[in-house]
Amino acid sequence: MRRACAVAALLACGTSAHAGLFDDDEARRAIIDLRTRISALEDASKAQGGQTAQQLQQLQNALLDLTNQNEQLRQQIAQLRGANEQLAKDLSDVQRQQKNIAQGVDDRLKRVEPQQVNLDGKTFMADPEEIAAYEAATATLRSGDFDKAQASLGNFLRRWPASGYADLARYWLGNAQYGNRDFKGAIVTFKAFIAAAPDHARAPEAELAVANCQIELRDIKGAKATLADLMKTYPKSEAAVAGKERLASLK
């Protein structure tokens, strides 16, 4: 009986020990499984972290490429701006040169093209050189240099005999001759002026000047005839009034 109890007790002990061993294996397997899962998670995390790092590196590379492209674009824009500024300067230079050329052409044309002149109610065309020569000659006369004025006006009439200035040039030539006391020459010139332009505003003055020249030459008879013709031809002129007084003073 005691032996049976002992065996039963041993059996009971053995069963209890086996149950404890079974629990330890389960726990061990659970731990191993957990560790495996943790390791897998860590590996996945590392893999994901590597992928994230790779994506980040790609983004950084793309950003660097964009930065480089932006810098290249800035350089190209700067070059284009420089080129545009140079083109603008070149264009400005060309336009200025064209303007200077055009101005030069205009100036040359003005020196050779006839110009319209209005003088003593008469309108005509004259070359620039012709205008300059006439103005220079009459300016010399106004300065009182009768010798030079007589030469200049004579040269003018020889060079431009059909000029619109010709009538007045003859009138002023007569005055220059009178100033030089070339009374005979002045009479010829004044009469030529009157014959060419009898309706000219200065024709009465020219006829009075002829009479004055005749008086200087002691040709009183001729002077009286000239003064009488002056009062008859140009009765309303101031020269006729002066001629009447001059005629009255002659003996």
Side-chain angles (χ1 to χ4, degrees):
M1 184 70 180
R2 289 179 180 175
R3 187 175 181 178
C5 289
V7 171
L10 288 171
L11 289 172
C13 289
T15 302
S16 176
H18 179 75
L21 290 173
F22 177 80
D23 292 339
D24 289 340
D25 290 339
E26 290 293 331
R28 189 178 296 112
R29 283 195 298 270
I31 291 172
I32 291 172
D33 182 62
L34 181 59
R35 286 178 177 175
T36 301
R37 291 174 61 187
I38 291 174
S39 178
L41 289 173
E42 289 177 348
D43 293 340
S45 178
K46 289 179 180 180
Q48 187 176 6
Q51 185 178 3
T52 302
Q54 184 179 4
Q55 292 175 350
L56 179 60
Q57 184 63 42
Q58 290 175 350
L59 290 174
Q60 289 176 342
N61 292 337
L63 179 60
L64 181 60
D65 289 341
L66 288 174
T67 302
N68 292 334
Q69 291 176 8
N70 184 54
E71 182 62 27
Q72 291 175 357
L73 287 174
R74 289 178 59 186
Q75 292 176 359
Q76 291 175 357
I77 290 172
Q79 292 174 354
L80 289 174
R81 285 177 178 172
N84 287 337
E85 290 176 358
Q86 184 62 42
L87 286 174
K89 182 179 181 300
D90 293 343
L91 178 60
S92 178
D93 292 340
V94 170
Q95 290 175 338
R96 183 170 59 254
Q97 291 173 1
Q98 289 178 339
K99 183 178 180 180
N100 292 337
I101 291 172
Q103 184 63 47
V105 171
D106 289 343
D107 292 341
R108 287 192 293 272
L109 289 176
K110 287 180 181 179
R111 289 196 292 269
V112 299
E113 284 187 346
Q115 300 176 21
Q116 182 172 296
V117 178
N118 295 309
L119 185 65
D120 285 350
K122 182 180 179 181
T123 301
F124 56 91
M125 301 299 292
D127 294 335
E129 185 179 2
E130 177 184 352
I131 296 172
Y134 175 81
E135 291 178 349
T138 53
T140 302
L141 178 63
R142 288 193 297 271
S143 71
D145 190 346
F146 300 118
D147 288 333
K148 186 175 179 180
Q150 183 174 338
S152 298
L153 290 164
N155 290 334
F156 180 89
L157 287 169
R158 283 188 291 274
R159 183 169 181 181
W160 291 285
S163 170
Y165 288 109
D167 292 337
L168 270 177
R170 291 189 186 92
Y171 175 79
W172 294 121
L173 175 59
N175 280 274
Q177 291 170 320
Y178 187 91
N180 280 329
R181 302 189 64 79
D182 179 11
F183 301 119
K184 291 183 180 180
I187 289 173
V188 173
T189 302
F190 282 128
K191 285 185 175 181
F193 166 71
I194 295 169
D199 297 327
H200 198 283
R202 295 183 184 274
E205 298 174 15
E207 192 153 17
L208 179 61
V210 170
N212 289 334
C213 288
Q214 291 170 328
I215 292 172
E216 292 290 344
L217 293 171
R218 306 294 182 183
D219 182 7
I220 304 302
K221 182 178 178 180
K224 287 182 179 180
T226 299
L227 292 170
D229 185 68
L230 168 62
M231 291 182 289
K232 179 181 177 181
T233 306
Y234 306 104
K236 296 182 180 180
S237 66
E238 293 182 3
V241 176
K244 185 177 181 180
E245 294 176 355
R246 179 60 58 89
L247 182 60
S249 66
L250 292 178
K251 297 180 181 180

